[in-house]
Amino acid sequence: MKNAAHEDDPVLERFHFLVNAPALFNAVTTAAELRIFPFLSGRPGAGAEEIRAFSGLPAHQLRVLLQAVCATGLLERRDGGYHNSAVAEELLAADGAPDSWSHILTGWKEVYYPAFADMTTALRTGTNTALAAHPGDEPTLYGRLSRNPPLEEVFHRAMTAFTLRSVDALIEQPVFEDVRHVLDVGGGDGSTSARLVARHPRLRTTVFDMPSVSRLASGAEAAAHPERVSVTPGDIFTDPFPEGPDGPDAVLFSHVLEIFDEDAILHLMKKAYTALPAGGKVMVYGYNVSDDETEGVFGARLGLYFNVLASGRGMAYPARDYERWLREAGFEEVATVSGLPYEHGLSLGVKRG
């Protein structure tokens, strides 16, 4: 009777999926790494034997894998053949596309989720104890990944793919219409900058990030606009932001500030204020949780990852926090564009005087 009383409870349904999700997540990731989704995109209705010949899996193990992926709804079985669902076709079937969720899944499997076994210890001790799995003495994952270039590339491919999934909502904002030069702080491989200059022909950007990350900014997207996407390697905390007569009139923090705590965020915002000319703009783009901090599954996952592994601090902050920090840093006309895809928001400020 107790179970029957709750059988229609959506929280119970979510709980049942949640406790099985780690295994199912890895099954979907395995199918992506075996390129089963692109294969079925070109061969819809293929049978198990065709998939076995393509994937190289033993028949029994393939049967187990296909059962698991079908249980998620991403694959469908009809008349003995297998088909991508509409979601799988959209997110996973484009073989090698830079915005494919296949890159995101692999990055989360290789970097994010192994760390979560340390969650209880990390949260109790107040530090990112899972970082110990990555050799080095740097205090953040980003520093230690520089010692492991193959894993660093996996990580940044995942970051780029997720950025590309959400970046259109940023680059279409009218705030860029009268901007001349954007400093893309923590801009990684330059994918955001490349999309910005492609959308706004009079705009140029400077990517400012660690040297080991900046080398990735020679990738195809950024390299397509070499005259308008430049790279300045440096430490965003200790090295000065580029400024001067030909310097930036806007500073963009895209998927950067949520990594840090309030003191570090204020420090970076004040650096942006100092570097900008009068009338210059600051833009903070990233995850926003709801004001009461109870909604946002992407943001919740991100906050846990930061504290357990990446930096030992930070979270997906509500927009009201960014707005308060922007005012404390000296910016005026502070506002937020909310409701953007994947729980994103864009907080803005202007340097007056």
Side-chain angles (χ1 to χ4, degrees):
M1 290 295 295
K2 188 175 181 180
N3 288 340
H6 297 280
E7 63 183 7
D8 295 326
D9 187 336
V11 176
L12 180 62
E13 182 178 355
R14 180 178 290 186
F15 175 79
H16 285 158
F17 187 81
L18 176 68
V19 296
N20 291 288
L24 297 176
F25 166 83
N26 281 284
V28 171
T29 305
T30 294
E33 291 174 341
L34 292 171
R35 301 177 52 246
I36 288 175
F37 299 108
F39 174 74
L40 289 176
S41 183
R43 298 285 299 276
E49 180 56 32
E50 292 177 86
I51 301 173
R52 187 204 63 75
F54 172 77
S55 68
L57 289 187
H60 176 74
Q61 280 66 33
L62 177 63
R63 181 182 181 186
V64 171
L65 177 65
L66 292 175
Q67 177 189 2
V69 181
C70 284
T72 70
L74 288 168
L75 289 185
E76 301 167 355
R77 189 176 185 183
R78 300 194 297 270
D79 300 322
Y82 292 88
H83 302 258
N84 288 334
S85 69
V87 171
E89 190 67 27
E90 177 185 351
L91 302 184
L92 296 164
D95 202 7
D99 66 347
S100 172
W101 264 87
S102 297
H103 302 309
I104 301 170
L105 296 180
T106 298
W108 289 3
K109 184 192 82 168
E110 297 290 334
V111 181
Y112 280 36
Y113 289 147
F116 286 166
D118 259 43
M119 188 176 299
T120 303
T121 301
L123 297 183
R124 277 179 172 164
T125 58
T127 188
N128 49 336
T129 55
L131 190 63
H134 298 271
D137 55 7
E138 295 85 354
T140 69
L141 174 67
Y142 313 105
R144 295 199 185 186
L145 283 176
S146 65
R147 299 171 180 264
N148 187 346
L151 189 62
E152 186 177 43
E153 291 196 24
V154 167
F155 174 79
H156 282 285
R157 270 198 303 271
M159 290 280 290
T160 296
F162 203 92
T163 295
L164 294 178
R165 285 280 163 183
S166 64
V167 74
D168 285 350
L170 170 65
I171 66 176
E172 294 297 333
Q173 295 298 318
V175 67
F176 292 103
E177 291 174 2
D178 59 352
V179 170
R180 172 183 52 82
H181 182 183
V182 172
L183 179 65
D184 185 2
V185 178
D189 68 355
S191 296
T192 298
S193 278
R195 293 293 176 98
L196 276 170
V197 300
R199 173 64 179 81
H200 302 278
R202 291 176 294 182
L203 184 69
R204 67 187 182 91
T205 68
T206 298
V207 177
F208 189 71
D209 211 327
M210 297 186 303
S212 67
V213 177
S214 297
R215 66 181 170 78
L216 301 175
S218 61
E221 291 230 19
H225 307 277
E227 73 288 355
R228 292 197 291 133
V229 177
S230 60
V231 179
T232 299
D235 185 300
I236 66 173
F237 285 100
T238 60
D239 293 326
F241 289 172
E243 52 183 299
D246 197 34
D249 58 345
V251 173
L252 171 65
F253 297 103
S254 177
H255 296 134
V256 174
L257 296 186
E258 56 258 71
I259 299 170
F260 306 112
D261 59 21
E262 178 172 352
D263 290 344
I265 292 170
L266 266 173
H267 173 74
L268 291 173
M269 286 184 173
K270 289 176 180 177
K271 284 188 69 173
Y273 187 88
T274 299
L276 284 169
K281 300 175 181 179
V282 65
M283 311 166 191
V284 179
Y285 183 65
Y287 301 86
N288 288 163
V289 297
S290 60
D291 278 346
D292 65 0
E293 301 184 18
T294 63
E295 298 178 15
V297 293
F298 284 99
R301 173 196 54 80
L302 193 76
L304 292 168
Y305 151 72
F306 287 149
N307 283 270
V308 172
L309 174 62
S311 59
R313 51 187 174 156
M315 62 181 291
Y317 296 99
R320 57 180 165 77
D321 283 7
Y322 287 124
E323 292 177 357
R324 173 169 57 86
W325 295 327
L326 285 168
R327 293 188 181 98
E328 289 183 26
F331 291 100
E332 302 178 22
E333 300 178 39
V334 173
T336 296
V337 180
S338 58
L340 302 179
Y342 292 107
E343 305 168 6
H344 278 54
L346 174 64
S347 295
L348 305 163
V350 178
K351 178 178 177 177
R352 292 301 182 198

